[in-house]
Protein backbone atom coordinates (compact mmCIF):
# COMPACT_ATOMS: atom_id res chain seq x y z
CA UNK A 1 0.00 0.00 0.00
CA UNK A 2 1.57 3.26 -1.18
CA UNK A 3 -0.49 5.47 1.10
CA UNK A 4 -2.06 7.27 -1.87
CA UNK A 5 -5.81 6.78 -2.12
CA UNK A 6 -8.04 7.28 -5.13
CA UNK A 7 -11.81 7.20 -5.53
CA UNK A 8 -13.78 5.85 -7.17
CA UNK A 9 -12.08 2.61 -8.18
CA UNK A 10 -14.32 2.21 -11.22
CA UNK A 11 -16.42 4.70 -13.13
CA UNK A 12 -18.72 3.99 -16.05
CA UNK A 13 -20.33 6.88 -17.85
CA UNK A 14 -21.59 8.00 -21.24
CA UNK A 15 -20.09 10.20 -23.90
CA UNK A 16 -20.58 13.89 -23.31
CA UNK A 17 -20.72 13.52 -19.54
CA UNK A 18 -18.45 15.00 -16.89
CA UNK A 19 -16.73 13.12 -14.06
CA UNK A 20 -14.52 13.97 -11.12
CA UNK A 21 -11.73 11.74 -9.89
CA UNK A 22 -10.37 12.23 -6.40
CA UNK A 23 -6.94 11.66 -4.93
CA UNK A 24 -5.56 11.90 -1.41
CA UNK A 25 -1.76 12.02 -1.26
CA UNK A 26 0.44 10.28 1.26
CA UNK A 27 0.52 11.98 4.62
CA UNK A 28 2.96 14.88 4.45
CA UNK A 29 3.34 14.90 0.66
CA UNK A 30 2.79 18.27 -0.96
CA UNK A 31 3.00 17.30 -4.63
CA UNK A 32 0.28 15.51 -6.53
CA UNK A 33 0.62 14.22 -10.08
CA UNK A 34 -1.99 12.86 -12.46
CA UNK A 35 -1.24 10.26 -15.14
CA UNK A 36 -3.35 8.54 -17.77
CA UNK A 37 -2.67 4.95 -18.77
CA UNK A 38 -4.19 3.62 -21.97
CA UNK A 39 -3.31 0.65 -24.14
CA UNK A 40 -2.16 2.73 -27.07
CA UNK A 41 -0.44 5.60 -25.25
CA UNK A 42 1.00 3.91 -22.18
CA UNK A 43 1.50 5.97 -19.04
CA UNK A 44 1.28 9.68 -19.84
CA UNK A 45 1.84 12.57 -17.48
CA UNK A 46 -1.08 14.99 -17.31
CA UNK A 47 -0.43 17.59 -14.63
CA UNK A 48 1.35 18.31 -11.34
CA UNK A 49 0.33 20.42 -8.36
CA UNK A 50 2.53 21.45 -5.48
CA UNK A 51 0.98 22.84 -2.33
CA UNK A 52 -2.08 24.05 -4.19
CA UNK A 53 -0.31 25.55 -7.19
CA UNK A 54 -0.03 24.12 -10.67
CA UNK A 55 3.60 23.18 -11.21
CA UNK A 56 3.91 21.32 -14.50
CA UNK A 57 1.65 20.39 -17.35
CA UNK A 58 1.84 17.54 -19.81
CA UNK A 59 -0.37 16.69 -22.75
CA UNK A 60 -3.55 17.37 -20.85
CA UNK A 61 -6.60 18.06 -22.97
CA UNK A 62 -8.45 21.34 -22.57
CA UNK A 63 -11.52 19.30 -21.57
CA UNK A 64 -9.57 18.13 -18.52
CA UNK A 65 -8.76 20.22 -15.51
CA UNK A 66 -7.43 19.63 -12.02
CA UNK A 67 -6.98 21.38 -8.74
CA UNK A 68 -5.38 20.80 -5.38
CA UNK A 69 -7.22 21.89 -2.29
CA UNK A 70 -5.88 23.38 0.98
CA UNK A 71 -6.03 19.93 2.61
CA UNK A 72 -3.79 18.77 -0.29
CA UNK A 73 -6.24 16.36 -1.84
CA UNK A 74 -6.64 16.76 -5.58
CA UNK A 75 -9.42 16.33 -8.09
CA UNK A 76 -9.19 15.67 -11.80
CA UNK A 77 -12.21 16.83 -13.77
CA UNK A 78 -12.91 15.30 -17.16
CA UNK A 79 -15.67 16.87 -19.24
CA UNK A 80 -17.34 16.29 -22.62
CA UNK A 81 -16.14 12.74 -22.37
CA UNK A 82 -15.28 10.78 -25.48
CA UNK A 83 -14.83 7.07 -26.04
CA UNK A 84 -11.09 7.61 -26.26
CA UNK A 85 -10.97 8.94 -22.73
CA UNK A 86 -11.53 5.42 -21.41
CA UNK A 87 -8.37 4.62 -19.50
CA UNK A 88 -6.82 4.13 -16.10
CA UNK A 89 -6.15 7.38 -14.29
CA UNK A 90 -3.46 7.36 -11.65
CA UNK A 91 -2.57 9.86 -9.03
CA UNK A 92 0.89 9.95 -7.51
CA UNK A 93 2.34 12.01 -4.71
CA UNK A 94 5.78 13.04 -3.53
CA UNK A 95 7.23 15.09 -0.73
CA UNK A 96 8.62 17.88 -2.83
CA UNK A 97 8.11 19.67 -6.12
CA UNK A 98 11.32 18.82 -7.85
CA UNK A 99 12.82 16.29 -10.15
CA UNK A 100 14.22 13.78 -7.75
CA UNK A 101 11.39 13.22 -5.37
CA UNK A 102 10.12 9.67 -5.58
CA UNK A 103 6.55 9.49 -6.80
CA UNK A 104 4.28 6.94 -5.15
CA UNK A 105 1.22 5.88 -7.09
CA UNK A 106 -2.32 5.22 -5.99
CA UNK A 107 -4.39 2.23 -7.14
CA UNK A 108 -6.02 4.16 -9.96
CA UNK A 109 -9.50 4.87 -11.24
CA UNK A 110 -10.67 2.88 -14.22
CA UNK A 111 -12.85 5.09 -16.40
CA UNK A 112 -15.07 3.52 -19.03
CA UNK A 113 -16.89 5.82 -21.43
CA UNK A 114 -19.74 4.13 -23.31
CA UNK B 1 9.41 14.34 -28.57
CA UNK B 2 11.98 12.50 -26.51
CA UNK B 3 10.86 9.34 -24.78
CA UNK B 4 11.99 6.32 -22.89
CA UNK B 5 11.72 3.00 -24.64
CA UNK B 6 12.22 -0.66 -23.83
CA UNK B 7 14.04 -3.15 -26.02
CA UNK B 8 12.04 -6.24 -25.02
CA UNK B 9 8.32 -6.17 -24.54
CA UNK B 10 8.17 -9.64 -22.92
CA UNK B 11 10.53 -11.71 -20.82
CA UNK B 12 9.87 -15.24 -19.65
CA UNK B 13 12.11 -16.90 -17.04
CA UNK B 14 12.16 -19.87 -14.72
CA UNK B 15 11.80 -19.44 -11.00
CA UNK B 16 15.21 -18.96 -9.44
CA UNK B 17 16.79 -17.49 -12.55
CA UNK B 18 18.12 -13.97 -12.69
CA UNK B 19 16.14 -11.53 -14.84
CA UNK B 20 17.44 -8.53 -16.73
CA UNK B 21 15.08 -5.89 -18.07
CA UNK B 22 16.51 -3.21 -20.33
CA UNK B 23 15.54 0.33 -21.13
CA UNK B 24 16.91 2.92 -23.53
CA UNK B 25 16.35 6.62 -23.07
CA UNK B 26 16.94 9.44 -25.50
CA UNK B 27 16.78 12.57 -23.37
CA UNK B 28 20.39 13.50 -22.62
CA UNK B 29 19.15 15.87 -19.92
CA UNK B 30 17.66 13.00 -17.90
CA UNK B 31 19.28 12.79 -14.51
CA UNK B 32 16.94 10.70 -12.41
CA UNK B 33 15.66 7.24 -13.30
CA UNK B 34 13.16 5.00 -11.60
CA UNK B 35 11.94 1.45 -12.06
CA UNK B 36 8.32 0.66 -11.29
CA UNK B 37 6.51 -2.67 -11.10
CA UNK B 38 2.86 -2.84 -12.03
CA UNK B 39 0.75 -5.86 -11.20
CA UNK B 40 -2.58 -6.45 -12.85
CA UNK B 41 -5.23 -4.09 -11.54
CA UNK B 42 -2.81 -2.08 -9.44
CA UNK B 43 -0.88 1.15 -9.67
CA UNK B 44 2.85 1.31 -10.42
CA UNK B 45 4.91 0.35 -7.41
CA UNK B 46 8.31 1.96 -6.80
CA UNK B 47 11.18 -0.55 -6.95
CA UNK B 48 14.43 1.35 -7.11
CA UNK B 49 15.85 4.62 -8.39
CA UNK B 50 19.20 5.95 -9.48
CA UNK B 51 20.61 9.40 -10.01
CA UNK B 52 22.83 10.28 -12.92
CA UNK B 53 25.91 10.67 -10.72
CA UNK B 54 25.82 6.93 -10.06
CA UNK B 55 26.20 3.94 -12.37
CA UNK B 56 24.94 1.22 -10.05
CA UNK B 57 22.57 0.93 -7.15
CA UNK B 58 21.50 -2.17 -5.27
CA UNK B 59 18.37 -2.96 -3.35
CA UNK B 60 16.92 -6.13 -2.01
CA UNK B 61 17.30 -8.67 -4.87
CA UNK B 62 17.33 -5.82 -7.38
CA UNK B 63 20.13 -3.88 -8.99
CA UNK B 64 19.85 -0.95 -11.37
CA UNK B 65 22.66 -0.16 -13.76
CA UNK B 66 22.98 3.13 -15.60
CA UNK B 67 25.19 3.68 -18.63
CA UNK B 68 24.99 7.33 -19.56
CA UNK B 69 27.37 6.94 -22.47
CA UNK B 70 24.89 4.84 -24.40
CA UNK B 71 21.80 6.09 -22.56
CA UNK B 72 20.89 2.68 -21.24
CA UNK B 73 19.29 1.53 -18.02
CA UNK B 74 18.77 -2.01 -16.78
CA UNK B 75 17.02 -3.71 -13.89
CA UNK B 76 18.41 -6.97 -12.61
CA UNK B 77 16.28 -9.18 -10.42
CA UNK B 78 18.10 -11.96 -8.61
CA UNK B 79 16.50 -15.33 -7.90
CA UNK B 80 13.29 -14.35 -9.67
CA UNK B 81 10.12 -15.55 -8.00
CA UNK B 82 6.58 -16.08 -9.34
CA UNK B 83 5.54 -13.01 -7.34
CA UNK B 84 7.86 -10.94 -9.52
CA UNK B 85 5.60 -11.54 -12.51
CA UNK B 86 4.33 -8.10 -13.56
CA UNK B 87 4.91 -5.30 -16.03
CA UNK B 88 8.08 -3.34 -15.36
CA UNK B 89 8.43 0.28 -16.41
CA UNK B 90 11.43 2.50 -16.47
CA UNK B 91 10.80 6.20 -16.05
CA UNK B 92 13.00 9.22 -16.32
CA UNK B 93 12.94 12.88 -15.53
CA UNK B 94 15.36 15.71 -15.83
CA UNK B 95 16.22 18.94 -17.54
CA UNK B 96 13.15 21.10 -17.92
CA UNK B 97 10.78 18.21 -17.19
CA UNK B 98 10.59 19.17 -13.52
CA UNK B 99 8.29 16.70 -11.78
CA UNK B 100 7.09 15.03 -14.97
CA UNK B 101 8.00 11.36 -15.34
CA UNK B 102 8.35 9.98 -18.85
CA UNK B 103 7.61 6.27 -18.88
CA UNK B 104 8.82 3.56 -21.20
CA UNK B 105 6.43 1.13 -22.84
CA UNK B 106 6.90 -1.56 -20.20
CA UNK B 107 8.20 -5.14 -20.20
CA UNK B 108 6.01 -8.04 -19.23
CA UNK B 109 7.95 -10.39 -16.97
CA UNK B 110 6.53 -13.89 -16.57
CA UNK B 111 8.13 -16.23 -14.06
CA UNK B 112 7.39 -19.93 -14.47
CA UNK B 113 7.48 -22.15 -11.37
Amino acid sequence: DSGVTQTPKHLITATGQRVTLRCSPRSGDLSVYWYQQSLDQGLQFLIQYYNGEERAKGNILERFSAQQFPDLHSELNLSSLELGDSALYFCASSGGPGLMNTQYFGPGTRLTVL
Amino acid sequence: GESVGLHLPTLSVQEGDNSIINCAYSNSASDYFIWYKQESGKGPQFIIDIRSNMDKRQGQRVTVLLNKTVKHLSLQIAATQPGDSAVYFCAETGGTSYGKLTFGQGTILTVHP
Side-chain angles (χ1 to χ4, degrees), chain A residues 59-78:
Chain A
N59 296 325
I60 186 168
L61 299 172
E62 286 190 12
R63 300 184 286 107
F64 296 1
S65 65
Q67 54 185 327
Q68 186 179 28
F69 295 86
D71 66 353
L72 301 176
H73 91 271
S74 178
E75 292 181 356
L76 179 67
N77 301 296
L78 315 177

Side-chain angles (χ1 to χ4, degrees), chain B residues 6-81:
Chain B
L6 293 175
H7 295 301
L8 301 173
T10 62
L11 178 64
S12 187
V13 301
Q14 291 296 125
E15 182 177 1
D17 287 351
N18 296 332
S19 302
I20 299 176
I21 301 171
N22 296 302
C23 175
Y25 65 95
S26 57
N27 185 355
S28 57
S30 298
D31 51 15
Y32 179 53
F33 305 86
I34 312 103
W35 281 100
Y36 285 94
K37 170 187 180 183
Q38 187 175 24
E39 296 173 282
S40 182
K42 296 184 178 180
Q45 175 189 350
F46 172 83
I47 301 174
I48 192 167
D49 60 2
I50 188 167
R51 287 163 167 68
S52 59
N53 61 352
M54 303 171 70
D55 53 20
K56 181 179 180 178
R57 190 162 189 227
Q58 288 183 291
Q60 189 175 15
R61 285 200 305 118
V62 294
T63 300
V64 55
L65 299 177
L66 175 63
N67 185 330
K68 294 183 288 295
T69 303
V70 295
K71 298 192 185 73
H72 185 267
L73 191 68
S74 69
L75 176 71
Q76 300 178 1
I77 305 173
T80 316
Q81 302 166 1

Side-chain angles (χ1 to χ4, degrees), chain A residues 9 33 35 37 43 45 48 55-58 88 90 97-108 110, chain B residues 31-32 34 36 38 41-46 49 51-52 89 93-101 103-104:
Chain A
K9 196 174 177 68
Y33 312 77
Y35 291 84
Q37 186 176 35
L43 265 162
F45 169 77
Q48 176 199 3
R55 199 70 180 214
K57 219 167 183 176
L88 274 164
F90 289 105
L99 291 169
M100 299 186 186
N101 292 282
T102 303
Q103 294 182 28
Y104 294 92
F105 283 75
R110 181 176 293 278
Chain B
D31 51 15
Y32 179 53
I34 312 103
Y36 285 94
Q38 187 175 24
K42 296 184 178 180
Q45 175 189 350
F46 172 83
D49 60 2
R51 287 163 167 68
S52 59
F89 293 94
T93 189
T96 58
S97 297
Y98 220 73
K100 166 189 173 182
L101 286 176
F103 281 84

Side-chain angles (χ1 to χ4, degrees), chain B residues 86-113:
Chain B
V87 180
Y88 289 80
F89 293 94
C90 62
E92 59 88 10
T93 189
T96 58
S97 297
Y98 220 73
K100 166 189 173 182
L101 286 176
T102 299
F103 281 84
Q105 298 172 3
T107 293
I108 301 171
L109 174 65
T110 302
V111 183
H112 299 283

Side-chain angles (χ1 to χ4, degrees), chain A residues 38-54:
Chain A
S38 60
L39 287 175
D40 57 343
Q41 295 289 325
L43 265 162
Q44 299 280 322
F45 169 77
L46 295 178
I47 198 163
Q48 176 199 3
Y49 279 81
Y50 175 73
N51 204 20
E53 300 285 331
E54 183 183 305

